[in-house]
Amino acid sequence: MEGNQSWVTEFILVGFPLSEEMEFLLFSIFSLLYTINLLANGMILGLICLDPRLHSPMYYFLSHLAIIDISFPSSNLPNLLENLMLFNLTFGSIECLILLVMSYGRYAAICRPLQYTVIMNGRSCMVLAITSWACEFSLALVQVILLLRLPFCGPQEVNHFLCDIRSLLKLACGDTGINEMFLFADGVFILVGPLSLMLVSYVSILWAILKIQSKEGHKKAFSTCSSHLCVVGFYFGIAMIVYMVPDNSQREEQLKILFLFYTLFNPLLNPLVYSLRNAQVKAAFRVLQKKRRTT
């Protein structure tokens, strides 16, 4: 670079090129969805903390999922992106490992029911959760450090509604080979690896379900696993399209829409599928309502 080269220190988020009327409509819709997300996940988190009957391994990890689903959309607010990019990367990927741990819990509950309390005891759950958070925070920190070493000399416009790392790499003036390599390796570790292990666990679960004699057992096991697979398919499918499919300038607008679904709708799907359809959660909510009425 020449000595008089000016460096870019700020970026402009392009967002979606829409009319003012459409922007106001979408702002209203997304604000409503964000509020519902906070209320739904906050309610699930509160119920799990307050009701002793929900102090089990599955709900322990659901509480982590609720924290992630509150934090990830919150970390994408444009005015906060300058300070929260590290957390955006962390919350965006930690869910993969939490979903993997939850699938392992289901495998233990269905395939090894007699050893379930030993395998998924309180200490094991805490170790799995801490390991997941520490691992993803470390990977996100490496990505941010590698990004900060790059020079940016223009243009300033980021064709996204948030500071997505792939969009920022396109604006770098230096060599981004190392960044791309680590980003691909992260994708394999965060997406391909957990998804493969989940598929193996669910094949084992399916095989165990087929051996169950009672129809009621079949129905309960299939209901539990199908809801989890629904979230896994939605989450991992969009994430792999966004982060692992090679870049194409003609696909930028479609990718932004997919990322919008990934950011806003997936956090709403989790409390609906995992908790609000769950009889124990409904019972805990009714108990809490009765307590409030009596006080």
Side-chain angles (χ1 to χ4, degrees), residues 21 68 78 91 94 106-107 127 155 211 228 241 246 252:
E21 293 80 8
I68 294 165
F91 294 131
I94 181 62
R106 280 178 169 79
Y107 165 80
V127 169
K211 294 180 181 179
H228 190 203
I241 292 173
E252 286 185 346

Side-chain angles (χ1 to χ4, degrees), residues 166 184 187-188 191-192 239-246:
R166 292 186 69 175
F184 180 79
V188 172
L191 297 173
V192 178
M240 292 182 80
I241 292 173
V242 170
Y243 286 108
M244 301 209 70
V245 175

Side-chain angles (χ1 to χ4, degrees), residues 133-236:
W133 282 94
C135 183
E136 292 303 337
F137 185 82
S138 300
L139 290 174
L141 184 61
V142 170
Q143 289 290 352
V144 171
I145 291 172
L146 289 175
L147 181 69
L148 292 176
R149 73 179 181 84
L150 294 173
F152 293 90
C153 51
Q156 288 180 287
E157 292 186 347
V158 179
N159 189 19
H160 216 293
F161 61 90
L162 53 84
C163 281
D164 177 57
I165 192 166
R166 292 186 69 175
S167 300
L168 287 173
L169 288 178
K170 295 176 184 178
L171 306 181
C173 302
D175 182 19
T176 60
I178 296 177
N179 299 73
E180 295 286 352
M181 181 182 68
F182 271 90
L183 197 59
F184 180 79
D186 280 358
V188 172
F189 179 77
I190 295 168
L191 297 173
V192 178
L195 182 59
S196 301
L197 292 173
M198 275 189 249
L199 291 176
V200 170
S201 68
Y202 276 105
V203 169
S204 302
I205 289 171
L206 180 61
W207 184 253
I209 290 174
L210 294 175
K211 294 180 181 179
I212 298 175
Q213 299 298 323
S214 67
K215 291 184 179 180
E216 187 64 28
H218 272 165
K219 183 179 178 181
K220 185 177 180 181
F222 270 119
S223 175
T224 303
C225 296
S226 61
S227 62
H228 190 203
L229 283 172
C230 175
V231 174
V232 167
F234 186 85
Y235 185 87
F236 279 84

Side-chain angles (χ1 to χ4, degrees), residues 263-280:
T263 304
L264 285 176
F265 291 97
N266 193 64
L268 282 172
L269 186 65
N270 286 332
L272 177 65
V273 170
Y274 283 123
S275 303
L276 299 182
R277 291 173 62 247
N278 189 290
Q280 286 180 293

Side-chain angles (χ1 to χ4, degrees), residues 9-295:
T9 58
E10 296 179 351
F11 295 99
I12 300 171
L13 299 175
V14 174
F16 295 97
L18 302 169
S19 63
E20 290 186 8
E21 293 80 8
M22 184 58 69
E23 284 183 353
F24 179 77
L25 175 63
L26 291 179
F27 173 80
S28 303
I29 293 172
F30 295 153
S31 297
L32 179 62
L33 289 174
Y34 177 67
T35 303
I36 294 172
N37 170 55
L38 292 181
L39 292 174
N41 283 291
M43 183 188 72
I44 298 303
L45 189 60
L47 287 174
I48 292 172
C49 292
L50 294 174
D51 196 316
R53 292 174 299 177
L54 300 182
H55 294 175
S56 64
M58 185 182 79
Y59 293 104
Y60 175 75
F61 290 110
L62 276 177
S63 67
H64 283 268
L65 208 58
I67 293 171
I68 294 165
D69 290 336
I70 291 172
S71 303
F72 182 45
S74 301
S75 67
N76 290 329
L77 295 176
N79 291 335
L80 299 178
L81 281 174
E82 182 179 7
N83 299 319
L84 296 180
M85 184 177 183
L86 173 61
F87 299 106
N88 172 261
L89 291 171
T90 302
F91 294 131
S93 54
I94 181 62
E95 190 161 344
C96 299
L97 294 188
I98 295 296
L99 288 173
L100 173 61
V101 172
M102 291 177 68
S103 71
Y104 176 67
R106 280 178 169 79
Y107 165 80
I110 295 174
C111 298
R112 298 187 175 183
L114 298 178
Q115 292 140 341
Y116 177 72
T117 54
V118 177
I119 295 173
M120 300 298 291
N121 59 55
R123 183 177 180 182
S124 297
C125 291
M126 186 177 294
V127 169
L128 287 170
I130 293 174
T131 302
S132 299
W133 282 94
C135 183
E136 292 303 337
F137 185 82
S138 300
L139 290 174
L141 184 61
V142 170
Q143 289 290 352
V144 171
I145 291 172
L146 289 175
L147 181 69
L148 292 176
R149 73 179 181 84
L150 294 173
F152 293 90
C153 51
Q156 288 180 287
E157 292 186 347
V158 179
N159 189 19
H160 216 293
F161 61 90
L162 53 84
C163 281
D164 177 57
I165 192 166
R166 292 186 69 175
S167 300
L168 287 173
L169 288 178
K170 295 176 184 178
L171 306 181
C173 302
D175 182 19
T176 60
I178 296 177
N179 299 73
E180 295 286 352
M181 181 182 68
F182 271 90
L183 197 59
F184 180 79
D186 280 358
V188 172
F189 179 77
I190 295 168
L191 297 173
V192 178
L195 182 59
S196 301
L197 292 173
M198 275 189 249
L199 291 176
V200 170
S201 68
Y202 276 105
V203 169
S204 302
I205 289 171
L206 180 61
W207 184 253
I209 290 174
L210 294 175
K211 294 180 181 179
I212 298 175
Q213 299 298 323
S214 67
K215 291 184 179 180
E216 187 64 28
H218 272 165
K219 183 179 178 181
K220 185 177 180 181
F222 270 119
S223 175
T224 303
C225 296
S226 61
S227 62
H228 190 203
L229 283 172
C230 175
V231 174
V232 167
F234 186 85
Y235 185 87
F236 279 84
I238 293 179
M240 292 182 80
I241 292 173
V242 170
Y243 286 108
M244 301 209 70
V245 175
D247 276 343
N248 186 338
S249 58
Q250 298 177 351
R251 296 174 56 247
E252 286 185 346
E253 295 303 317
Q254 291 89 337
L255 286 177
K256 281 196 291 186
I257 295 172
L258 278 177
F259 207 104
L260 190 62
F261 274 88
Y262 180 75
T263 304
L264 285 176
F265 291 97
N266 193 64
L268 282 172
L269 186 65
N270 286 332
L272 177 65
V273 170
Y274 283 123
S275 303
L276 299 182
R277 291 173 62 247
N278 189 290
Q280 286 180 293
V281 173
K282 290 179 182 178
F285 184 69
R286 285 193 292 267
V287 169
L288 186 62
Q289 280 186 317
K290 289 180 181 178
K291 286 182 178 180
R292 289 188 63 185
R293 288 172 186 170
T294 55
T295 56

